[in-house]
Amino acid sequence: MSSKHPIIAHGELYAEPVKKQLSGGPKTMPRDYPEAKQRILNDLDTLTKIIEESSEHFLEEKVICMRLEPKFEAKSYVPDSIIKAISDEGTDIVGGRKYTIRQNEDETLAKLYFVRTTDTGIRKLRSVLQTGERDHIENWKRQIQSIYTIDLLSPDEKIMGFGDGWETGTVEFVLHPLPSNTENEIQAFFSQSGIDTNNAKIKTYEDGITFISAICSNDNLQRAKMYNPLRAAHPIGNVSFVPIRSNPKSVCPTVIKSRQRPTIRIGVFDGGADEEIPLLKGYVTAIDGTPEPAIPECLAHGSGVCSAILYGNLADRSGSIEPPSALIDCYRVFPLRDNKDVDLYEAIDLIEDVVPNSRNTKLYNLSFGPAGAIVDDSISRFTYALDRLAYEVPKDEDSPLFVVAAGNDGDLPPDLNRIQAPSDIVNGMGIGAYTFDTNGNKIIAPYSCVGPGREGAKTKPDILDYGGSSGHPFVIPSLDHTSLSYVAGTSFAAPMVTGKIGKLMSLSRDVSPQIGRALLIHNASIDKSLPRINQGFGFCAEDVTRILECDDNRITIMYNGTILPTQFLNLPIFAPHINEMKGNVSISWTVATVVAPYANDPDAYTNNCLEDTFVPNSMIYSFTKKGEKTETLSFLDASDIPRIRHLLDSGYKQSATPKPHPAKKVWEEDALRAVDYKWDTVIRKSISMRSKSLFDPTLTLHAIGRNGFDTREIKYHVAITIDAPKYVGSLYDTVLQTYQNLTPIEIRNINRLMVR
């Protein structure tokens, strides 16, 4: 039987920057330049007439749309040359989104950019086109050719997610950044929409985007959509807690008394907690984040969430149980002072205040959110706030991790059953729920909301954990301090995951919350019979202590560091002499990043990403010559050396980097997003190959930035597992002997983590 060893850390010490030539060539343009230029001149004439007729409510600064042709989504087609030509007229790109082109019965998605400008800017663009002063600039010409039309966002394109019978309710409005006069922009919105400011909450961020949560009627909505600076509007559902059933005849277990206390702290935002419940006493600190008096329904929910983090599911657990490995600060955000604040701006304000000022707490649980499925073309303030908090930390600090329940509307019709904000975060985790069937097999809980997630985190929920069901309830302590209560919901699957990450942190100082995120996803079990939108990356491991273990010939290495956009970084996959063994080798990798969010463009919500390339053999290269067949040869194969010399002497060029596997077959931006999940913050892949095909394998990461974030560092957390069952000897020992800067993580006894 194979020995157990701690997983290995500090793989980043062997990371090497590399130079790599990017592939791809010029795209065939849909029309020639003179035709494209005349089309835009016609568009500008129409646009000017609409503005003069005041068919919408315009301010001095207008927001117009530059709609690109289909398949022109790559960042190289951002119309920056066009903007540069008129930038002295106060013109700038302020966001973007997808739009639909309808021709006959076909629908095609394409990209549009929102451009803030003035009447003078529109006239300047017309003048530049008419005079031809930039006709000699190739990039200008290509960008003009890539534009489908220049117009306005139609009123109906601004509103999304409203049913046919919608009459009144809470709506979140998103206004474009108009930093020259944001106050006037907000006042004009209320004047145009007729919404009572007493029924609204407003938040403007430093980047200029403004979120307004307001109670309004359908009449208000119809008036608001005629406001030119309005970017999007979507309805917000009420917050509700899952029903809790008490069983007064049951007996709650007790925790073994200990004179020691954990040092790991976890933050919880919920309905409060009864810190006098014996299982919580001494481990949970209840903090009032609202002056409103606590109510039993909310206290029971928050107390159950805290119990789930500390102890998991209490079903089939009786007598005395081991003390937990973490402490909890539970911030009570319910009931809200304003019972009309269903968009939770009060709670978000508190979270934005607490998290940056709690520098010793980096792991948070949120088991609440407004009801309602996410929509692709609009970002909620809640989601944006959490993603910003995860990214905007001092350079030498770990990023906080938010673990969020995915929502309990999974049994609604398609689209309505999609995950709910803020579980669509890209820098945190959205958790779905599983339960058991009558045979004891794991199944997805029918109430658990499904994916896909939004651009930047298309795989949602991230993972599933136990959330209970009517037949197999999740068990928590009751408020009577002696009995148990029964619940079910993603509200309790999420704290199961939070508690597991907290336990990993308690076991090793090498595990931060974001590393814990990568490790849980890396080790989640996929059910191949289920679609990805139901399970995400799979079912969470039950015993997370096993995650920190390696076998002799199945090892996991962690890599953590930063990378700059445009940089290529080689991460070695440590496997000495792997090509000398027999049989297959399986290699799996998970890459998790923390990136800057960009709420102005839901289609480009992540400002950075990492592209991964697996190189199985560092000695195999491609040799190319124009008009000749490409050849792939190995410097390790003695019979290939003469051929390599001949090709080089004949004018062939050797590829700058070894041949990847598999070769990238698609280069269109939309295909890369759909197939390779480009711009997502989590990558999880695996491959199985014959051992003789491997020699000094590597994983190459390529960092990319956009939206002005081309110089900001990206934090990466990587786990790579090599499974070589027929390796001769111990792969684990050979790796540590060969690469002496690698070290096993220190796994500590829980009691050693506690202080007296």
Side-chain angles (χ1 to χ4, degrees):
M1 184 175 178
S2 180
S3 301
K4 299 295 182 183
H5 316 282
I7 62 176
I8 299 170
H10 308 305
E12 69 277 1
L13 295 177
Y14 290 90
E16 295 182 350
V18 295
K19 291 185 178 180
K20 189 173 180 181
Q21 187 171 0
L22 296 176
S23 301
K27 185 189 291 285
T28 301
M29 306 310 290
R31 60 187 61 85
D32 61 25
Y33 178 64
E35 180 188 355
K37 187 164 70 167
Q38 186 58 52
R39 281 169 57 98
I40 293 178
L41 285 168
N42 294 340
D43 288 341
L44 295 178
D45 289 340
T46 302
L47 181 62
T48 301
K49 183 178 180 181
I50 292 173
I51 293 173
E52 290 174 348
E53 293 174 349
S54 298
S55 58
E56 292 187 16
H57 183 92
F58 293 97
L59 303 181
E60 181 178 349
E61 292 179 294
K62 281 78 177 175
V63 178
I64 65 175
C65 298
M66 291 190 180
R67 302 179 190 254
L68 302 190
E69 292 280 355
K71 301 187 181 299
F72 282 76
E73 295 180 340
K75 68 171 188 173
S76 58
Y77 293 103
V78 176
D80 48 7
S81 286
I82 301 174
I83 302 304
K84 192 178 298 182
I86 51 177
S87 60
D88 57 338
E89 308 299 335
T91 300
D92 197 11
I93 296 174
V94 292
R97 58 171 278 191
K98 287 285 187 68
Y99 77 101
T100 302
I101 298 176
R102 294 179 173 84
Q103 293 178 330
N104 299 323
E105 296 182 359
D106 296 328
E107 292 187 353
T108 305
L109 288 177
K111 178 80 178 187
L112 71 79
Y113 287 95
F114 295 113
V115 176
R116 181 183 64 230
T117 189
T118 61
D119 295 337
T120 303
I122 295 171
R123 288 194 295 269
K124 176 68 178 296
L125 177 56
R126 179 190 287 107
S127 174
V128 172
L129 288 165
Q130 288 175 330
T131 62
E133 62 187 74
R134 300 179 71 86
D135 286 358
H136 64 287
I137 302 174
E138 191 61 34
N139 194 42
W140 161 272
K141 292 168 63 177
R142 292 183 61 78
Q143 289 191 6
I144 292 294
Q145 289 173 281
S146 71
I147 290 181
Y148 181 74
T149 186
I150 295 180
D151 57 13
L152 299 171
L153 193 69
S154 74
D156 288 339
E157 285 180 293
K158 300 174 186 178
I159 59 174
M160 53 201 73
F162 293 87
D164 292 337
W166 193 90
E167 290 296 332
T168 186
T170 301
V171 177
E172 186 169 59
F173 298 93
V174 186
L175 303 185
H176 287 292
L178 300 182
S180 63
N181 201 342
T182 301
E183 184 177 346
N184 178 58
E185 177 190 18
I186 294 171
Q187 291 176 350
F189 167 79
F190 285 107
S191 175
Q192 166 65 24
S193 66
I195 294 172
D196 186 348
T197 56
N198 294 319
N199 290 333
K201 295 182 182 295
I202 306 164
K203 175 65 177 181
T204 299
Y205 285 95
E206 293 84 351
D207 55 10
I209 194 167
T210 297
F211 294 90
I212 298 175
S213 169
I215 297 175
C216 67
S217 66
N218 189 50
D219 178 65
N220 296 134
L221 182 65
Q222 298 306 315
R223 292 172 61 180
K225 74 180 185 181
M226 303 306 295
Y227 185 58
N228 174 252
L230 177 65
R231 188 203 181 288
H234 56 261
I236 298 295
N238 291 316
V239 177
S240 62
F241 292 122
V242 296
I244 297 176
R245 294 184 290 117
S246 298
N247 182 3
K249 295 182 179 180
S250 60
V251 178
C252 187
T254 58
V255 62
I256 298 173
K257 294 187 180 297
S258 174
R259 296 174 58 189
Q260 298 172 314
R261 286 170 58 79
T263 57
I264 300 297
R265 301 196 77 88
I266 297 172
V268 170
F269 296 98
D270 212 284
D274 182 352
E275 57 186 16
E276 294 301 315
I277 293 175
L279 283 180
L280 307 186
K281 191 170 185 177
Y283 296 101
V284 175
T285 300
I287 303 169
D288 287 335
T290 172
E292 295 299 306
I295 58 176
E297 175 192 10
C298 298
L299 272 181
H301 187 272
S303 300
V305 166
C306 291
S307 174
I309 292 172
L310 298 177
Y311 307 104
N313 179 24
L314 295 178
D316 302 323
R317 300 180 71 181
S318 59
S320 299
I321 55 179
E322 292 293 325
S325 55
L327 301 174
I328 292 176
D329 292 322
C330 183
Y331 297 89
R332 184 170 66 84
V333 297
F334 295 105
L336 302 166
R337 283 172 292 179
D338 181 357
N339 59 15
K340 296 177 289 189
D341 179 23
V342 296
D343 205 17
L344 304 173
Y345 277 34
E346 285 181 22
I348 301 169
D349 289 342
L350 177 69
I351 294 168
E352 289 183 322
D353 179 60
V354 167
V355 174
N357 294 302
S358 303
R359 301 180 69 174
N360 293 325
T361 303
K362 295 295 184 181
L363 177 60
Y364 293 91
N365 188 93
L366 287 90
S367 287
F368 67 92
I374 64 167
V375 290
D376 288 318
D377 291 326
S378 186
I379 302 283
S380 78
R381 181 198 166 193
F382 207 164
T383 299
Y384 181 54
L386 298 187
D387 279 325
R388 277 172 54 99
L389 289 169
Y391 179 76
E392 295 181 351
V393 297
K395 189 173 182 179
D396 58 344
E397 284 193 16
D398 291 327
S399 295
L401 177 72
F402 298 96
V403 182
V404 186
N408 298 323
D409 285 340
D411 50 2
L412 293 181
D415 294 334
L416 299 178
N417 65 346
R418 198 173 173 191
I419 62 166
Q420 300 171 350
S423 69
D424 55 333
I425 52 175
V426 299
N427 290 331
M429 301 181 74
I431 309 301
Y434 72 79
T435 185
F436 298 100
D437 63 17
T438 54
N439 296 318
N441 300 313
K442 290 181 181 178
I443 57 171
I444 295 173
Y447 56 77
S448 183
C449 284
V450 304
R454 68 173 55 264
E455 190 67 38
K458 291 182 283 291
T459 300
K460 288 285 181 177
D462 289 272
I463 54 177
L464 306 177
D465 212 317
Y466 184 69
S469 60
S470 57
H472 295 84
F474 195 105
V475 181
I476 59 174
S478 294
L479 292 183
D480 64 13
H481 296 190
T482 59
S483 65
L484 297 169
S485 294
Y486 302 147
V487 293
T490 58
S491 288
F492 301 95
M496 289 285 283
V497 171
T498 305
K500 289 174 180 178
I501 294 177
K503 188 169 186 178
L504 290 175
M505 294 168 60
S506 73
L507 287 169
S508 176
R509 63 168 56 93
D510 289 308
V511 179
S512 68
Q514 291 287 347
I515 296 171
R517 168 196 178 199
L519 288 173
L520 285 192
I521 290 174
H522 186 64
N523 289 276
S525 301
I526 290 286
D527 185 336
K528 294 182 179 179
S529 67
L530 296 173
R532 189 167 184 156
I533 63 169
N534 289 80
Q535 62 180 322
F537 292 106
F539 293 74
C540 189
E542 294 183 35
D543 181 5
V544 293
T545 60
R546 301 293 301 275
I547 287 176
L548 301 182
E549 294 178 347
C550 295
D551 294 330
D552 283 337
N553 293 333
R554 188 180 189 278
I555 66 172
T556 297
I557 300 107
M558 297 192 304
Y559 311 68
N560 301 284
T562 58
I563 182 173
L564 285 170
T566 74
Q567 185 179 18
F568 288 87
L569 196 65
N570 260 1
L571 303 182
I573 298 174
F574 305 100
H577 314 298
I578 198 73
N579 58 318
E580 299 172 9
M581 62 167 274
K582 296 181 179 180
N584 283 1
V585 176
S586 296
I587 300 175
S588 58
W589 60 94
T590 299
V591 181
T593 56
V594 179
V595 304
Y598 186 55
N600 294 16
D601 191 345
D603 180 55
Y605 182 55
T606 47
N607 277 323
N608 312 98
C609 77
L610 295 181
E611 289 185 309
D612 64 308
T613 302
F614 173 63
V615 177
N617 192 314
S618 63
M619 301 300 286
I620 295 179
Y621 287 80
S622 297
F623 297 83
T624 58
K625 182 179 179 181
K626 188 174 182 180
E628 302 291 339
K629 182 180 179 181
T630 298
E631 296 192 34
T632 301
L633 300 167
S634 172
F635 283 96
L636 283 180
D637 190 335
S639 63
D640 281 353
I641 300 301
R643 182 61 179 168
I644 291 173
R645 289 173 179 160
H646 172 74
L647 292 177
L648 294 175
D649 290 341
S650 303
Y652 278 76
K653 291 185 178 181
Q654 178 184 327
S655 58
T657 56
K659 184 179 179 182
H661 180 85
K664 300 274 187 182
K665 295 183 179 180
V666 290
W667 296 105
E668 295 285 0
E669 176 74 9
D670 55 349
L672 283 171
R673 292 188 185 192
V675 177
D676 211 38
Y677 292 89
K678 183 183 179 183
W679 296 106
D680 278 20
T681 55
V682 177
I683 300 165
R684 176 175 146 168
K685 295 179 182 177
S686 62
I687 197 164
S688 180
M689 301 185 71
R690 300 291 294 176
S691 58
K692 64 181 180 181
S693 302
L694 300 168
F695 183 82
D696 289 342
T698 60
L699 183 69
T700 301
L701 301 180
H702 174 212
I704 309 173
R706 59 183 174 185
N707 298 327
F709 281 75
D710 300 80
T711 60
R712 299 285 290 271
E713 287 184 336
I714 306 170
K715 293 181 181 179
Y716 67 84
H717 310 282
V718 179
I720 299 178
T721 296
I722 307 105
D723 188 5
K726 294 186 179 181
Y727 191 87
V728 178
S730 169
L731 176 61
Y732 187 91
D733 291 341
T734 303
V735 166
L736 292 180
Q737 291 165 6
T738 307
Y739 305 95
Q740 297 185 9
N741 288 329
L742 297 178
T743 56
I745 66 170
E746 179 187 357
I747 299 179
R748 298 169 291 181
N749 184 289
I750 292 293
N751 290 333
R752 289 181 57 194
L753 186 69
M754 299 183 179
V755 294
R756 291 186 181 276

